[in-house]
Amino acid sequence: MLLDVSRLDVNYGRTRAVKQVSLSVREGEIVTVLGANGAGKTSLLRGLQGAVRPAGGKILFDGTDLTQAPPSARVRNGMMLVPEGRQIFVSMTVHENLLMGSYMRADADVSRDMEAIYDRFPNLAERRNMKASVLSGGEQQMLAIGRALVGRPRLIMLDEPSLGLSPLFVGKLFELILELNKSGISILLVEQNTTMALEVASRGYVLELGSAVLEDDAAALSNNTALTEAYLGGG
Ligand code: ATP
């Protein structure tokens, strides 16, 4: 098991945003987390990343207990979050944004990896010295993913990456997710686009009011009409 989360609690003061959620991601797997607005998906990822310290439960990453570790320790271990809304630095250049992803790396291979990322994303290569603010929404999403890749992740956690993207870019994004997965990166994907998410994932969890109410194979979740009608709005 690469990521093994048991009975995680994330609170904001008295608001219990994530309640006793257990989930796992095996090495090489794509796992999706679905649920309506406010179900606790972002809070779950923030708890996993360490931005919010979990109030309870356990997070094991490749056997290491990271529950109370700071975000930097997660990054060093290979757990990267691509946050909702990308959160890139718009006043910095594309290149500077990518370099931010390398801050936990001690080795000297960063420039080689940066070139590999530019090969993968020609749009970013062309604009490497421009401010990130000139990028389209889709390119900004690629930049946010590129920044995570510079840190050499073993697991990428994506928070609603398709939000606000044109259908063309959504297609490209999901192709990219599959490619990254084929290259050996495990993926935890939070999505509102349930149809696409269940197409690429092997398993999924459904959150409702902070609790994981359902866990199943992606195919079974797609065929669960009660579920798609109740929580997912058809994606
Ligand atoms: P969305 O799709 O809108 O991002 P979500 O499933 O990611 O929804 P969360 O953003 O995790 O849900 O929110 C879960 C609950 O926690 C909600 O009731 C929300 O109001 C509350 N919440 C989220 N962030 C905070 C915060 N910083 N302080 C207080 N309450 C919060």
Side-chain angles (χ1 to χ4, degrees), residues 12 15 17 35-44 46 84 159-160 192:
Y12 302 105
T15 307
N37 271 341
K41 306 180 298 297
T42 297
S43 303
L44 170 66
R46 296 183 74 206
E84 188 174 8
D159 194 357
E160 305 213 8
Q192 298 259 357

Side-chain angles (χ1 to χ4, degrees), residues 2 27-29 153-155 178-187:
L2 184 60
E27 187 102 52
E29 221 182 359
R154 296 178 67 194
L155 173 76
L178 283 171
E179 263 176 52
L180 296 178
N181 182 245
K182 282 203 189 98
S183 76
I185 300 171
S186 309
I187 311 268

Side-chain angles (χ1 to χ4, degrees), residues 110-188:
V110 171
S111 58
R112 208 171 56 199
D113 285 7
M114 297 277 282
E115 287 311 312
I117 285 164
Y118 285 134
D119 286 345
R120 190 191 280 277
F121 304 114
N123 285 3
L124 298 184
E126 280 167 24
R127 294 168 178 73
R128 70 174 83 187
N129 295 318
M130 294 183 192
K131 293 256 165 75
S133 55
V134 307
L135 300 179
S136 71
E139 289 165 344
Q140 291 190 0
Q141 186 62 65
M142 299 300 161
L143 179 60
I145 293 173
R147 183 177 59 189
L149 290 176
V150 178
R152 290 203 173 163
R154 296 178 67 194
L155 173 76
I156 293 189
M157 302 181 282
L158 294 158
D159 194 357
E160 305 213 8
S162 77
L163 202 70
L165 301 189
S166 68
L168 179 71
F169 254 117
V170 171
K172 283 190 183 171
L173 172 75
F174 279 91
E175 271 171 34
L176 173 65
I177 291 172
L178 283 171
E179 263 176 52
L180 296 178
N181 182 245
K182 282 203 189 98
S183 76
I185 300 171
S186 309
I187 311 268
L188 184 62

Side-chain angles (χ1 to χ4, degrees), residues 191-213:
E191 257 301 339
Q192 298 259 357
N193 190 332
T194 55
T195 311
M196 297 290 271
L198 290 172
E199 262 174 39
V200 298
S202 58
R203 289 187 303 117
Y205 296 82
V206 178
L207 289 194
E208 195 183 32
L209 297 175
S211 301
V213 294

Side-chain angles (χ1 to χ4, degrees), residues 47-116:
L48 294 178
Q49 186 221 12
V52 183
R53 198 156 279 205
K58 199 179 229 185
I59 301 166
L60 292 179
F61 189 70
D62 201 14
T64 304
D65 188 342
L66 295 177
T67 318
Q68 298 300 328
S72 57
R74 273 118 150 129
V75 168
R76 239 189 341 265
N77 278 274
M79 261 177 102
M80 311 287 175
L81 174 70
V82 178
E84 188 174 8
R86 356 276 192 224
Q87 305 197 4
I88 58 169
F89 303 99
V90 286
S91 61
M92 287 166 53
T93 65
V94 166
H95 195 75
E96 289 164 343
N97 267 279
L98 285 177
L99 273 178
M100 296 296 286
S102 69
Y103 78 107
M104 277 295 138
R105 281 181 57 175
D107 58 289
D109 284 344
V110 171
S111 58
R112 208 171 56 199
D113 285 7
M114 297 277 282
E115 287 311 312

